[in-house]
Amino acid sequence: MPSQPLSQKEIEDRLRELPGWAFEDDRIVRTYRLGTHLAASALVAHIAVVQDELNHHSDLTLGYNTVRLAVNTHSAGDAVTETDFELAQRVQDLAPAHGAN
């Protein structure tokens, strides 16, 4: 069963629990900064593993020392759902181990 879209208030409330994340263009987004390109690449690889575990994938952009995620749920009409916040929280939890801020 697909996830249900969250209301604007629910999204705003949930974003308060995720420092650095924002709501833009019907997605939740975050850019992480890292010390090196190799560290950013390692974070991307770790995020890819989590996305496969959840079977939920973000738009993931690797820069020289940045990683940007933008996520919503296609099966819910490209709306933000609880599944997007589950992915965001998992990334938020693993990012510090890579030196991301």
Side-chain angles (χ1 to χ4, degrees), residues 5-85:
L6 298 176
S7 70
Q8 186 66 37
K9 179 167 181 357
E10 290 171 316
I11 293 168
E12 290 168 3
D13 290 346
R14 292 297 310 272
L15 284 172
R16 284 186 192 91
E17 301 168 14
L18 289 169
W21 287 82
F23 182 68
E24 297 174 4
D25 299 323
D26 297 323
R27 300 168 181 229
I28 57 172
V29 300
R30 167 91 197 251
T31 298
Y32 289 95
R33 301 204 185 296
L34 296 99
T36 65
H37 182 68
L38 186 57
S41 298
L43 178 58
V44 166
H46 200 163
I47 292 170
V49 170
V50 170
Q51 292 181 144
D52 278 352
E53 288 172 1
L54 295 174
N55 192 29
H56 191 64
H57 301 84
S58 68
D59 288 336
L60 192 55
T61 305
L62 172 63
Y64 169 73
N65 65 344
T66 60
V67 174
R68 183 175 191 277
L69 290 91
V71 64
N72 62 16
T73 302
H74 303 296
S75 63
D78 293 327
V80 174
T81 68
E82 187 62 37
T83 307
D84 301 309
F85 280 99

